[in-house]
Amino acid sequence: GAGGGLVALPAPPAEEVHVYELTVQIEAAVQSADRWGATSSEGDAPPRPPPASLRLCGLVLPPRSVPLPPPTEALRLLAFGDSITEGVLCRTRSKSDEGGDLGCNSVSSAWAWLLAQSLGADATVVSFGRQGWTVAGNGGAPAFCESWRSLCAGAARFGGAAS
């Protein structure tokens, strides 16, 4: 947004206790945008996040605030997939109906997100349209067998070196 990735929470009155919960969800992405970051580095420079990524640069808490670790659900669901898992065309049958990818795609209407909700689980959905076991996906994502260990180019999903 216009705030440059900084989220500021309002201060509650001194006598009140407020609990804020921040949930980050990318509902839809443009399929053709660079979502992997393969084109985000030059020469020997370290990889930069892909242009089509969410960057949260800070969180400003009101005075007297005490950050707590996020609650975790007893169950966690990590789903990898393609356009079906990503929710492509879940809102409408045609990209021309609702303004392209951002208007017609919806991860929260796709099977993985709905399954996690029905199980009461935390959901992490990693999906790129067209991606297959040996087929590269949209947005510059390599084939699944080459990319599953990474969040994006140069960033390991599980620690250690990214592929």
Side-chain angles (χ1 to χ4, degrees):
L6 189 64
V7 177
L9 301 176
E15 66 277 356
E16 292 185 28
V17 174
H18 284 267
V19 176
Y20 297 99
E21 181 176 323
L22 176 65
T23 301
V24 178
Q25 171 184 326
I26 299 174
E27 181 66 10
V30 175
Q31 295 291 300
S32 60
D34 179 5
R35 296 185 293 150
W36 189 253
T39 61
S40 299
S41 296
E42 297 175 12
D44 293 334
R48 295 185 309 253
S53 62
L54 175 68
R55 295 176 191 97
L56 182 60
C57 301
L59 183 64
V60 178
L61 299 174
R64 304 176 315 278
S65 294
V66 178
L68 299 173
T72 56
E73 301 294 339
L75 296 174
R76 294 182 184 173
L77 176 81
L78 172 58
F80 291 98
D82 58 7
S83 58
I84 296 169
T85 308
E86 189 174 357
V88 170
L89 297 178
C90 274
R91 287 191 186 147
T92 181
R93 292 181 180 263
S94 169
K95 288 184 179 186
S96 62
D97 291 348
E98 296 285 334
D101 290 338
L102 297 180
C104 63
N105 300 348
S106 170
V107 71
S108 63
S109 299
W111 72 267
W113 192 269
L114 296 172
L115 175 62
Q117 293 237 313
S118 70
L119 294 172
D122 279 336
T124 300
V125 180
V126 182
S127 51
F128 296 92
R130 210 176 59 98
Q131 187 180 44
W133 190 257
T134 60
V135 177
N138 292 336
F144 179 75
C145 64
E146 300 168 23
S147 64
W148 71 273
R149 287 186 211 98
S150 302
L151 291 168
C152 60
R157 176 175 308 286
F158 303 107
S163 54

